[in-house]
Amino acid sequence: MTEPSRTVLIVDDSSLSRMLLKSLLLERRPDWVVLEAASGEQALEVADKQCPDLITLDINMPGMGGLAAAQRLKERCPAAQLAVMTANVQESVRQQVQSLGILFLAMVEKPITAAGVDKILFRLTA
């Protein structure tokens, strides 16, 4: 059985991180549609036009950070699955994420690797 095509929104202020994540995702799921946003504010604009199935969020971004964006994106797109990408996977960050009351699909360490992308995809289809 083939997996249905999905739309993914990558939210990260680093163009290199977005490019790497997009490349790794499309290597594994070439039929998926990948949207990009460089900030939390831009992510909300993209989500207003099309609710993605999966949203990956960098936590530390200028302007609206990933956690604030996650709350607003979940309100606008309640069916979307969220994954957090961060270079800082300390307990305090985990507690911040958990305190939002949002079920995150995964918390993946940056820099982004194939293993991190596989972790997200595994949990998405589990």
Side-chain angles (χ1 to χ4, degrees), residues 49-61:
K49 296 175 186 163
Q50 179 179 4
C51 274
D53 302 297
L54 170 65
I55 303 170
T56 67
L57 291 150
D58 181 20
I59 289 180
N60 295 315
M61 296 185 290

Side-chain angles (χ1 to χ4, degrees), residues 79-92:
Q81 300 279 330
L82 302 176
V84 173
M85 316 295 280
T86 182
N88 184 5
V89 187
Q90 295 177 351
E91 186 57 31
S92 61

